[in-house]
Amino acid sequence: MKRSREQAASELFAALYPRLAGWCRRLVDDDETAHEIASEAFTRLWSRWTSVAEPRGFLYVTAANLVRDHWRKLERERRAVHRAGTEAAVRPHTEQSDPSVRLLVQSLPERLRVPILLHYYADMPIREVSAVTGRKEGTVKADLHAARELLRAHLRRTLDHTP
């Protein structure tokens, strides 16, 4: 039974992956991201293999949701850069001086990084971030403020080319 399940999944992957990845590529305009999304859709299908009646539909709906999440994340990053300083969004600069917001967020201390990820990247309201982290709403707001200030300062230093 397990062998036939693996064979069926392998055949489905061979039949649908190229088209699904191509569809995702047109939506996200990036090969690597498209393949990540298509692969994640198949991973989610595999985890629900026995309960999914229509695998093709499941794959496309899942991929569409992942594409939507990707677009939202890009929009949040764009807004964060804009909030951190208008000059960061409009001033041309070299690749070396253009830090990735994602890398900057990852460099934050965990106390500040977690609220930023939950609030801006997972679209959780402050009340929900408070419940998930076990911190008071005021603390979450203060941590978000502190994180934004650190990000803003880092972006300004980078844009001004000062240490």
Side-chain angles (χ1 to χ4, degrees):
M1 172 103 175
K2 182 176 172 129
R3 185 69 189 140
S4 63
R5 177 182 179 225
E6 288 177 5
Q7 185 176 357
S10 179
E11 290 170 3
L12 185 71
F13 184 84
L16 296 180
Y17 183 83
R19 191 169 196 163
L20 180 66
W23 179 72
C24 292
R25 169 67 172 88
R26 286 188 301 278
L27 294 173
V28 298
D29 201 30
D30 176 60
D31 285 335
E32 185 177 343
T33 303
H35 285 286
E36 287 175 9
I37 289 170
S39 296
E40 178 64 20
F42 270 95
T43 300
R44 291 181 184 188
L45 172 63
W46 181 250
S47 71
R48 296 166 181 82
W49 185 253
T50 57
S51 63
V52 174
E54 179 50 53
R56 185 176 180 274
F58 179 89
L59 287 168
Y60 277 86
V61 167
T62 301
N65 289 336
L66 292 167
V67 165
R68 183 195 65 222
D69 292 346
H70 171 75
W71 287 342
R72 285 179 176 168
K73 183 175 87 174
L74 290 177
E75 178 59 22
R76 284 189 299 271
E77 287 177 354
R78 187 195 64 74
R79 285 193 315 254
V81 167
H82 182 72
R83 272 193 303 271
T86 309
E87 66 275 5
V90 296
R91 184 174 169 186
H93 34 269
T94 65
E95 187 173 296
Q96 282 182 328
S97 67
D98 184 15
S100 165
V101 172
R102 188 174 305 124
L103 290 175
L104 291 175
V105 169
Q106 288 174 352
S107 72
L108 289 171
E110 184 176 355
R111 174 183 69 83
L112 302 178
R113 183 178 61 245
V114 170
I116 287 283
L117 291 174
L118 294 175
H119 185 64
Y120 292 108
Y121 287 77
D123 278 337
M124 285 187 185
I126 290 173
R127 180 182 64 256
E128 215 173 310
V129 174
S130 172
V132 168
T133 61
R135 298 179 191 162
K136 293 180 180 179
E137 287 185 33
T139 303
V140 170
K141 289 177 184 178
D143 288 346
L144 287 170
H145 175 75
R148 285 190 305 267
E149 288 301 314
L150 281 173
L151 294 171
R152 183 177 292 121
H154 185 77
L155 285 170
R156 280 196 182 122
R157 278 194 311 272
T158 303
L159 291 172
D160 292 340
H161 304 292
T162 59

